[in-house]
Amino acid sequence: MSARWNRKDLLGLRELSADEINFILETADAFKQVGAREIKKVPALRGKTLVNFFIEPSTRTRTSFELAAFRLSADVINISTSTSSLTKGETLKDTARNLEALHADILVLRHSSAGAPQFLAQRLKTSVINAGDGAHEHPTQGLLDLYTIREKRGKIADLHVVIVGDILFSRVARSNILGLTKLGARVTLVGPSTLVPREFEKLGVAVSHKIDNVLPDADVVNLLRIQHERQRKEYFPGTAEYTQLFGLTKERAKLLKPDCLIMHPGPINRGVEIDSEVADSLQSVILDQVTNGLAVRMAVLYLCGGIATP
Amino acid sequence: MKQTKQSPSAGVPIMDAEAIRRALRRIAHEIVERNPELRSVVLAGIPSRGVEIARRIAEFIRASEKIDIDTGIVDVAMHRDDVGARAELPVVRASKLPLPLEGRTLIIVDDVLYTGRTVRAAMDAISSFGRPARIQLAALIDRGHRELPIRADYVGKNLPSAATEKVGVRLEQTDGEPDAVWLFKE
């Protein structure tokens, strides 16, 4: 029995123990196998209602949560910025209370403000799953990255994971750093000094501004998307210069160990942070990340949505 | 059915290792008798003791018939009908069945048959993998109190019990204790 899990919400990897993270990954193993069945659907969350509440646009995360919910037999409602009454001046809390009045059991929230999921989790009986809050955390992305590394390399502890790109504004980076260090990996962050300040060393990771020095020792390279929508000009050197300094070009890919994994949370900007051919190479596990995201989200929905509500 | 761990000293002994061995050997013989096409049989254990019992039955069949029959694992946790109603969420594990199931005789194997709800969930899980020709049921202990129209085809021991009592099966491989079946009074 699962004495290893008693949370109704998943807000971030910061508050999870290594054992809780491992338990989610083990649960995802079981759900990944559902995708290979003739009938890819189990009744685990039958009769539960999930609300996908996305205040920032996102197709892939929302679709992944939606499909995960379908495979668990939950009913799904999608609400995006344009269809929400937030545009009519309703506060986040009032909108959420309305959703609760409809007896929604699970609320998957994507929000531009850090802490929005926590704000709601403390006020609602509904399970709240953080699908990305500002530059804070994106826990299911962090978990699916951990799952993919564990699946491909058989372990996480003692691996050297290099995360490249816009770390400062990246919730994906933050969740990855927290999860990887808890499970014993060695992490190096690489990027322009404006986007990868030295302060990150306080999180127990190394910081480098020269990618060529770091790549030969990497077991995993996780390339983050340049988030043009979050970028301010003074932070970012410009696309061509970024590619020249930090992009994983064909030349740079030759520096990697043959078994080094290449990861990217998507959507990829081909030719910017990663060369097109490198993205499609055998070392690339970018599409495995998508498949695993589904299994990890099924596990999270099952664990948070399935526990008895007091 | 999972039973909570209790010290054996508080219980009444029902079966010892030898009695369990004989009961499983008899079940193996009955399976051979009832299924002329033995090669089509799959023994699908429900984790974790059902998987071990299925392995032992397969061993008895191998010894007497010189045939390796297929075994598998059918996890029921994600097919239960009481998620959210239980204080603790059942741990989900991956199922493992030899595919395709079409044309095969699938025998569900569990340690204790009680309400029948676990078996219903197992049949539901199996149907998501395919459509076996038939499904049968083997249990080491049948303790009665069915809540669904389900009965076992192969039973190691019928154990009349009160609903307030608990049946504890211990197997060396799954529990690290000597093979035994106990009845605990509440």
Side-chain angles (χ1 to χ4, degrees):
Chain A
M1 295 292 140
S2 60
R4 294 168 71 188
W5 188 264
N6 56 8
R7 294 176 185 273
K8 82 170 175 71
D9 310 301
L10 177 69
L11 304 176
L13 297 192
R14 180 179 296 278
E15 57 266 28
L16 298 189
S17 67
D19 186 60
E20 284 173 307
I21 293 172
N22 280 321
F23 185 60
I24 297 173
L25 302 182
E26 287 161 29
T27 303
D29 280 334
F31 283 114
K32 178 159 187 182
Q33 188 246 357
V34 173
R37 296 187 189 180
E38 196 168 291
I39 297 171
K40 298 169 185 55
K41 197 176 174 96
V42 296
L45 293 183
R46 189 169 58 188
K48 302 256 181 193
T49 304
L50 177 140
V51 176
N52 260 330
F53 195 20
F54 277 60
I55 294 175
E56 265 190 342
S58 157
T59 308
R60 72 187 52 224
T61 305
R62 201 211 65 210
T63 310
S64 182
F65 270 110
E66 192 171 354
L67 194 50
F70 284 153
R71 291 201 170 165
L72 294 169
S73 305
D75 297 305
V76 179
I77 309 167
N78 287 306
I79 300 174
S80 58
T81 331
S82 53
T83 57
S84 126
S85 278
L86 290 173
T87 52
K88 299 176 193 161
E90 193 177 52
T91 66
L92 175 62
K93 190 183 170 193
D94 280 330
T95 304
R97 287 179 64 175
N98 276 280
L99 296 171
E100 191 167 58
L102 295 170
H103 301 293
D105 300 288
I106 304 169
L107 178 63
V108 177
L109 182 68
R110 160 70 60 97
H111 202 281
S112 52
S113 298
Q118 187 178 9
F119 175 85
L120 290 182
Q122 286 166 348
R123 285 158 180 83
L124 301 177
K125 289 193 292 263
T126 308
S127 287
V128 178
I129 313 291
N130 181 2
D133 59 334
H136 178 231
E137 279 219 49
H138 191 347
T140 56
Q141 179 71 45
L143 288 166
L144 78 88
D145 289 342
L146 292 172
Y147 186 93
T148 305
I149 296 170
R150 169 178 165 275
E151 179 184 59
K152 299 290 171 189
R153 299 300 301 259
K155 62 166 189 175
I156 289 169
D158 303 325
L159 291 181
H160 182 206
V161 180
V162 175
I163 306 175
V164 185
D166 171 6
I167 312 289
L168 187 60
F169 294 103
S170 172
R171 53 195 174 211
V172 175
R174 219 155 308 239
S175 290
N176 261 281
I177 292 165
L178 291 163
L180 287 164
T181 49
K182 283 182 191 202
L183 298 190
R186 193 154 59 86
V187 180
T188 303
L189 309 176
V190 180
S193 56
T194 47
L195 297 175
V196 189
R198 289 267 168 213
E199 278 138 52
F200 275 99
E201 287 173 351
K202 286 181 199 150
L203 294 174
V205 299
V207 168
S208 169
H209 305 306
K210 289 205 168 64
I211 189 168
D212 294 348
N213 296 350
V214 179
L215 290 182
D217 184 47
D219 296 305
V220 178
V221 177
N222 198 346
L223 302 156
L224 303 183
R225 184 175 65 92
I226 293 304
Q227 306 188 79
H228 297 291
E229 70 274 19
R230 271 182 228 286
Q231 226 44 264
R232 279 183 285 157
K233 282 204 172 60
E234 57 267 35
Y235 285 103
F236 188 67
T239 304
E241 195 185 345
Y242 181 86
T243 307
Q244 196 201 339
L245 289 171
F246 298 103
L248 189 61
T249 58
K250 262 185 274 186
E251 281 307 306
R252 283 210 176 96
K254 288 179 190 154
L255 296 173
L256 296 173
K257 293 191 232 172
D259 60 349
C260 178
L261 304 178
I262 299 171
M263 304 177 72
H264 192 299
I268 58 177
N269 295 317
R270 285 178 186 267
V272 180
E273 64 265 4
I274 185 166
D275 176 84
S276 192
E277 269 181 47
V278 175
D280 299 329
S281 70
L282 289 173
Q283 280 174 284
S284 160
V285 293
I286 296 172
L287 293 176
D288 297 275
Q289 289 173 268
V290 177
T291 307
N292 291 337
L294 194 53
V296 162
R297 291 186 175 109
M298 286 174 79
V300 167
L301 294 179
Y302 173 76
L303 292 174
C304 292
I307 63 166
T309 35
Chain B
M1 287 296 297
K2 285 277 175 318
Q3 309 291 329
T4 39
K5 291 251 172 186
Q6 273 170 297
S7 135
S9 60
V12 180
I14 303 296
M15 293 175 100
D16 60 11
E18 180 55 23
I20 291 174
R21 204 182 70 82
R22 274 192 306 241
L24 296 183
R25 193 178 55 189
R26 179 173 48 75
I27 288 176
H29 286 313
E30 287 174 11
I31 288 172
V32 172
E33 227 170 67
R34 298 238 331 243
N35 295 283
E37 280 186 57
L38 255 191
R39 285 180 201 284
S40 78
V41 169
V42 181
L43 293 177
I46 296 176
S48 48
R49 295 190 194 96
V51 176
E52 169 57 19
I53 292 171
R55 188 191 67 77
R56 293 187 188 186
I57 294 173
E59 224 164 69
F60 281 119
I61 294 176
R62 185 181 308 118
S64 69
E65 306 302 309
K66 315 287 177 250
I67 289 177
D68 275 318
I69 65 168
D70 283 338
T71 57
I73 297 170
V74 54
D75 188 61
V76 299
M78 54 182 100
H79 292 270
R80 297 196 63 99
D81 58 5
D82 55 0
V83 168
R86 296 157 69 100
E88 285 194 339
L89 201 56
V91 174
V92 293
R93 297 183 181 82
S95 294
K96 218 170 102 188
L97 293 169
L99 300 178
L101 296 178
E102 277 63 19
R104 308 206 66 169
T105 297
L106 210 138
I107 304 178
I108 298 170
V109 182
D110 204 0
D111 56 350
V112 179
L113 176 59
Y114 184 29
T115 61
R117 288 182 191 268
T118 303
V119 175
R120 185 211 60 78
M123 288 192 283
D124 188 33
I126 290 161
S127 67
S128 73
F129 286 90
R131 187 174 180 275
R134 61 190 68 78
I135 298 178
Q136 301 173 351
L137 173 60
L140 176 61
I141 302 288
D142 182 350
R143 61 169 296 193
H145 302 283
R146 216 76 77 238
E147 293 170 1
L148 296 171
I150 282 169
R151 63 163 186 79
D153 301 272
Y154 314 97
V155 176
K157 186 177 182 63
N158 282 296
L159 177 63
S161 63
T164 53
E165 292 169 325
K166 281 186 173 163
V167 177
V169 175
R170 302 285 181 269
L171 300 175
E172 217 170 311
Q173 290 84 343
T174 53
D175 303 278
E177 288 175 37
D179 286 4
V181 179
W182 303 85
L183 186 63
F184 300 105
K185 310 267 178 198
E186 279 301 84

